[in-house]
Amino acid sequence: MDLMDLLQGQLSDGLLDTLTSQLGGADKQQTSNAADGIMDALVGALAKNASTPEGASALNNALEKDHDGSIFDNLGDFLGGNTSNVNARTANGEGILGHILGNNKSSVIDMVSKNSGLDTGKIGGLMATLAPVVMGALGKTKKASGLDAGSLVGMLAGAVNARKSQSPIMGMVTGFLDKDGDGSFIDDVAGGLAGKLLGGLFGKK
């Protein structure tokens, strides 16, 4: 099961219409571009976070506990604002963003806004809505493929590598996360060197 195909395949025209309507003042193409950018950015950040044994273990535990992919059973309801069928931790988009992005949320919002044309004031809400979807897709992929904590790293690295030549956002994220500026962030992850990354999520402090 391909993580990015699963994510992108979930946002049908109908669901994009729902998200666009919620945003107000956006057109459907802007919403689509912003959603793609958000998903790419979050997957890239998750790859970085899982690049240490501790990070991979924490992510694996979160997926097993709160993000098993069941959010897709009622995705239309969830994206429409009905979270009654989803447990609170699974649906807590802001909390998920705090874990994934830390203090770098505003940097991602600015990046996505510039590349999608959608106002920064709308990106944050869309990001909080989509964060549980990204985690659910990761959990569903883990479950379907029988991945353990170690396998998650390779799967995330593969997803980022496959997208970085196609997506401006993914290219930027991998650049921010590159530990030494040589453009080989994903090589660092796949090679087990990411535990030596210094600084914050999107660059050295």
Side-chain angles (χ1 to χ4, degrees):
M1 181 179 291
D2 184 272
L3 175 63
M4 301 310 296
D5 285 347
L6 174 61
L7 278 170
Q8 293 169 344
Q10 297 302 317
L11 295 184
S12 65
D13 282 347
L15 292 182
L16 282 172
D17 285 336
T18 297
L19 292 173
T20 302
S21 176
Q22 289 175 343
L23 291 172
D27 63 44
K28 192 171 178 179
Q29 189 59 54
Q30 286 178 322
T31 304
S32 178
N33 291 342
D36 284 345
I38 287 168
M39 292 187 295
D40 284 341
L42 294 181
V43 169
L46 282 165
K48 188 271 178 184
N49 293 348
S51 64
T52 65
E54 296 81 7
S57 178
L59 176 58
N60 188 64
N61 290 340
L63 295 177
E64 291 187 348
K65 186 175 182 181
D66 297 318
H67 305 284
D68 61 359
S70 59
I71 193 172
F72 291 107
D73 295 340
N74 299 285
L75 186 59
D77 287 344
F78 175 77
L79 293 180
N82 180 6
T83 61
S84 61
N85 293 319
V86 182
N87 80 53
R89 288 189 300 272
T90 300
N92 184 7
E94 290 295 344
I96 292 169
L97 292 175
H99 285 295
I100 297 176
L101 299 176
N103 295 326
N104 296 282
K105 178 182 172 182
S106 61
S107 298
V108 175
I109 288 175
D110 288 343
M111 255 198 316
V112 174
S113 177
K114 289 175 183 177
N115 281 275
S116 67
L118 193 64
D119 184 82
T120 56
K122 303 181 190 301
I123 296 292
L126 182 60
M127 187 179 293
T129 298
L130 292 178
V133 179
V134 172
M135 291 297 288
L138 187 54
K140 188 170 184 176
T141 304
K142 166 184 160 58
K143 187 175 181 180
S145 302
L147 303 178
D148 59 16
S151 301
L152 281 172
V153 178
M155 188 273 289
L156 285 166
V160 173
N161 196 49
R163 283 287 293 165
K164 69 177 183 178
S165 63
Q166 306 170 24
S167 163
I169 293 294
M170 191 67 86
M172 290 180 190
V173 169
T174 56
F176 283 136
L177 298 177
D178 179 26
K179 73 181 179 68
D180 53 14
D182 64 1
S184 63
F185 162 70
I186 290 304
D187 293 337
D188 295 338
V189 172
L193 299 177
K196 298 179 181 178
L197 284 169
L198 300 176
L201 182 61
F202 291 108
K204 297 179 177 65
K205 300 295 185 182

